Amino acid sequence: MPKISAPTVAAHRAQTRERILEAVASLTRSQGIDRISLTDVASEAGITRTALYNYFPDKASLLLAFTEHVTTRFVERYRRELPSDASAAERLSAFVRFQLHGLVEHPHPAAAELGASLGPDAYQALADHVAPMQHLLAEIVRQGAANGEFDAVPPEATAKLTLAMIGAQRVPLLRGETGTDEAHSLVTLFTLRALGVGSETAERAALRLPSA
């Protein structure tokens, strides 16, 4: 069993917690979130199940922490990799692409199934943790309307609709019925055209890739 070396107890706990979350990330790629057990996570992280309980008392608390972890990394990646001169249309395109990659990298059941698995309280907490992504998308829509790129629309409601379209690609992606490029083009072009963006501008935005 691999050991963690850290100068302090606090650093050791932080490293162990990070390793647990990385174990969840690894398992979601092979099993999907709904099939993961605490025993699987402990084994993947190289710790005992008893030690795992010192960090997360149940699966719901573990998934909440993992969701917050993934959301934070998504927002950081979006802000880090998106070119500073990107238009609102290009920002929306990059947001959709990153979200679709996330669906493939960390497979999870549909919202209703996840809610049934976690229970209403935990599911609401889970929704609260992913709210920053919706707010980020709403900010893109708001900025696009302010600078004249997009038609004036309710930002939060538009963000919810766009996220629903992204989520609808989950099953086709996981079944291999579509690819991320095809799904990205479909969602991005439909959304940008709905926001009043011309065909040529929308197609250019969909083709521009974020650069690290």
Side-chain angles (χ1 to χ4, degrees), residues 196-210:
V197 178
S199 297
E200 290 187 8
T201 302
E203 289 172 3
R204 284 198 303 272
L207 288 173
R208 180 171 181 180
L209 296 175

Side-chain angles (χ1 to χ4, degrees), residues 9-97:
V9 173
H12 176 84
R13 285 189 61 82
Q15 289 181 22
T16 302
R17 188 178 190 277
E18 180 71 17
R19 222 162 97 190
I20 291 169
L21 295 178
E22 290 299 333
V24 176
S26 176
L27 290 168
T28 60
R29 298 185 192 107
S30 60
Q31 298 180 208
I33 286 178
D34 54 328
R35 295 182 180 179
I36 292 175
S37 71
L38 294 182
T39 300
D40 293 334
V41 174
S43 177
E44 183 73 17
I47 61 176
T48 66
R49 181 163 174 159
T50 300
L52 177 61
Y53 284 135
N54 291 328
Y55 294 84
F56 304 103
D58 51 39
K59 183 175 178 178
S61 64
L62 176 59
L63 292 186
L64 289 175
F66 177 68
T67 301
E68 183 176 19
H69 177 73
V70 170
T71 300
T72 299
R73 287 197 170 185
F74 174 89
V75 174
E76 289 175 349
R77 180 188 177 194
Y78 171 86
R79 298 193 185 283
R80 181 181 66 250
E81 297 188 12
L82 197 66
S84 59
D85 62 342
S87 65
E90 290 166 346
R91 290 177 184 276
L92 188 145
S93 175
F95 181 96
V96 172
R97 185 178 295 280

